[in-house]
Structure formats: structure tokens, C-alpha cells
């Protein structure tokens, strides 16, 4: 029997078909010397997503896409591995590795069932990768398995506020109304495409992280800086100044 669940198969074909479009944003992020995060491109200096010292750390990016987050980690001294479910996204990542002469292992696979051993990484990271495209009840235990004791898990996702206020129609920004229930939020399927996303409420996420042996160290609710713009029509700037569009979870494996 195949281990690949229905959402992994449908997300694989969705991302293979979107990969060409993501090549350009991927290339521009590879070219940035310093990390920026999320749809408002908030600078690392301001947001403080990464540990201050990455030198010598073994890292895995779960849902690495075009691989720019791992490239930023490599330039700060880490030894990254990128894993992604889409061969087409990984083809872009390989091309950009060649262009920047910066190579690290890329694995074609599913972040819910990673073909690597236990306790071999110091940091697992995901920016809009496994963090929203995988079932948290599968990928977070998998991240815990891959991390050494004391290892860190860092991931960026859309906020619950955004997920409750986003209309069903593709390309429409978040409204000021609550359009769906908070309780029970987990799997999201949009009428206009075949892909599947996952988003949990805060209580469910904290309980899941703790059950997997993590302590939550921070939850950064992202605010756009002065003058911020975005090419992603998830919310207007006025909306994003009132409510978080995105959040960064930082956890450490302690048990
Ligand atoms: C928005 S991209 C994020 C990656 C990266 N930050 C970027 O923008 O290039 C989402 C990525 O998650 C990957 N993905 C979706 N489901 C996955 C799964 N089950 N396992 C690993 N990667 C997955 C997709 O193939 C896609 O490349």
C-alpha cells in the first residue's frame, strides 16, 4: 500500500504546475544577502526568526521549494538539507544552486514521512512549506523525530485570524468578517483549486507541540513595517496593521 496520502498527491501535482511561476520570486530571494520573511518581506534583523549563531548546525528545511531559506542558512554557516514534495520546485532549487555556486543536498520526498534517520538535525525550519501544506499531526511529530535533544523547530504560517477571514474566491484579500468557525480548524480546501492546506488554532498547536516533546519559546505575530508592500493579495496593508497575517512559531525539543 502506498504511504502517500491524498493531500500529498494533490499538493504534489499542484506545486509541479505552479513551479514555473515561483521561479522568479525564488531567484530574487536567493539573491538577497540577508533573510526577509513572509508576504511583507520583514527583515531578519527586525523579526528575529533565526537563532543568532547557525555556524555548524545541521538543518533541514521541510518543504524547501526553491531553497532560498536553506541558502540563507548555508551563508550563515549551517549545513542545510532541503526536502520537497515537488520535483519541479526542486529543479528550480538546483538551477539556483548552480547559479549561486552554493550546493546542499535536496531530497524529493514527503515531509510527513522523511526518508532520514532519527535525531540528526539541530534545526528544522519551514516557511510556508510543510508548515501549511502538510498535516500538522503528521509533520510535527516527524520534525520532532529528526531533531536532536535541544534542537529547534521554527515555522512560518498564516495566522488563524487570516484563515477565518479569507473569502473562498481565489485572489480576494481577507475581510473584516469571520467567515468560518475557529473551533475545529484543521484542513482547508479551496473551491477554485485542488490543493489542500492545514491550519490549526493556537490551543491545538500548543497541545500538539507539547505532545511531541517541544516547549514553545516564542510566537511572533508579524506586523508589516513602515512602507511595506506585497505581491501576495492575502490582505490589505490596513488589515495587516490591525491583525496578524502571519505568525512564526519557535519551539525547542526538550523531552
Ligand atoms: C510556498 S513553497 C514554500 C517553500 C519556500 N519557502 C519557497 O517559497 O520556495 C511550498 C512548498 O511546499 C512543498 N510541499 C507541499 N507539500 C509537501 C510535502 N508533503 N512534503 C514536502 N514538501 C511539500 C511544495 O512542493 C512547495 O515547494
Amino acid at each position: 500500500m502506498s504511504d502517500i496520502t491524498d493531500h500529498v498527491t494533490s499538493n504534489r501535482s499542484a506545486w509541479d504546475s505552479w513551479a514555473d511561476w515561483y521561479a522568479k520570486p525564488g531567484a530574487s530571494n536567493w539573491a538577497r544577502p540577508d533573510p526577509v520573511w513572509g508576504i511583507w518581506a520583514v527583515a531578519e534583523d527586525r523579526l528575529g526568526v533565526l537563532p543568532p549563531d547557525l555556524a555548524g548546525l545541521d538543518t533541514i528545511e521541510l518543504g524547501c521549494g526553491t531553497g532560498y531559506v536553506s541558502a540563507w542558512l548555508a551563508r550563515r554557516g549551517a549545513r542545510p538539507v532541503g526536502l520537497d514534495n515537488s520535483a519541479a520546485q526542486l529543479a528550480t532549487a538546483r538551477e539556483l544552486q548552480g547559479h549561486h555556486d552554493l550546493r546542499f543536498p535536496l531530497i524529493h520526498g514527503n515531509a510527513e514521512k522523511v526518508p532520514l534517520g532519527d535525531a540528526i538535525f539541530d534545526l528544522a525550519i519551514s516557511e510556508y512549506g510543510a508548515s501549511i501544506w502538510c498535516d500538522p499531526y503528521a509533520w510535527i511529530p516527524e520534525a520532532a523525530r529528526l531533531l536532536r535533544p535541544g534542537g529547534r523547530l521554527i515555522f512560518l504560517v498564516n495566522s488563524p485570524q487570516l484563515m477565518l477571514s479569507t473569502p473562498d474566491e481565489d485572489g480576494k484579500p481577507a475581510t473584516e468578517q469571520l467567515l468560518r468557525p475557529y473551533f475545529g480548524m484543521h484542513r482547508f480546501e479551496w473551491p477554485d483549486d485542488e490543493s489542500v492546506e492545514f491550519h490549526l488554532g493556537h490551543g491545538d498547536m500548543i497541545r500538539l507541540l507539547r505532545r511531541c516533546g517541544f516547549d514553545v519559546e516564542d510566537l511572533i505575530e508579524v506586523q508589516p513595517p513602515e512602507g511595506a508592500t506585497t505581491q501576495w493579495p492575502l490582505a490589505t496593508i490596513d488589515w495587516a496593521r490591525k491583525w496578524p497575517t502571519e505568525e512564526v512559531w519557535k519551539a525547542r525539543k526538550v523531552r
Side-chain angles (χ1 to χ4, degrees):
M1 201 174 77
S2 167
D3 283 330
I4 298 192
T5 48
D6 65 335
H7 61 271
V8 178
T9 310
S10 47
N11 287 345
R12 178 173 285 183
S13 54
W15 276 99
D16 280 343
S17 72
W18 298 334
D20 277 353
W21 195 87
Y22 276 82
K24 202 167 159 205
S28 68
N29 275 335
W30 263 84
R32 288 178 187 273
D34 294 308
V36 295
W37 300 104
I39 65 166
W40 305 107
V42 187
E44 168 62 20
D45 279 359
R46 186 182 181 110
L47 212 56
V49 170
L50 297 175
D53 186 7
L54 287 161
L57 297 191
D58 293 308
T59 67
I60 181 151
E61 186 180 357
L62 297 167
C64 65
T66 59
Y68 56 81
V69 171
S70 288
W72 294 333
L73 300 182
R75 291 186 191 125
R76 293 179 173 223
R79 290 189 292 261
V81 172
L83 174 133
D84 202 279
N85 187 32
S86 158
Q89 284 278 84
L90 290 175
T92 306
R94 262 183 223 104
E95 212 174 294
L96 289 164
Q97 286 188 331
H99 182 75
H100 289 271
D101 196 18
L102 178 56
R103 287 178 185 76
F104 44 84
L106 294 170
I107 300 171
H108 187 207
N110 169 16
E112 297 179 2
K113 215 169 174 26
V114 176
L116 294 173
D118 297 351
I120 53 173
F121 293 103
D122 304 298
L123 168 67
I125 191 162
S126 183
E127 186 220 29
Y128 280 126
S131 54
I132 70 163
W133 300 100
C134 289
D135 188 333
Y137 293 102
W139 85 267
I140 290 181
E142 196 56 351
R145 181 185 70 74
L146 293 165
L147 286 171
R148 298 183 174 120
R152 292 177 163 101
L153 173 63
I154 299 176
F155 57 97
L156 184 143
V157 294
N158 299 118
S159 70
Q161 290 89 335
L162 186 92
M163 297 320 297
L164 298 184
S165 314
T166 296
D168 275 344
E169 300 82 39
D170 204 13
K172 289 254 171 77
T175 68
E176 299 207 355
Q177 279 152 1
L178 297 173
L179 302 174
R180 53 187 68 83
Y182 177 83
F183 292 120
M185 66 188 269
H186 176 218
R187 183 179 165 115
F188 285 68
E189 288 176 63
W190 304 103
D192 292 342
D193 67 54
E194 305 274 288
S195 64
V196 182
E197 292 176 35
F198 295 88
H199 302 273
L200 291 187
H202 285 171
D204 286 342
M205 182 61 87
I206 288 169
R207 276 184 294 278
L208 170 60
L209 287 167
R210 290 187 61 77
R211 215 162 54 230
C212 294
F214 290 106
D215 265 4
V216 175
E217 294 194 319
D218 204 353
L219 173 59
I220 306 171
E221 293 157 320
V222 180
Q223 294 189 56
E226 208 47 50
T229 56
T230 185
Q231 58 173 314
W232 313 98
L234 300 186
T236 64
I237 187 82
D238 289 343
W239 195 102
R241 294 214 184 285
K242 288 190 245 173
W243 300 286
T245 41
E246 301 166 301
E247 56 192 30
V248 180
W249 288 83
K250 296 169 80 167
R252 195 184 275 266
K253 193 178 167 190
V254 292
R255 288 177 289 277

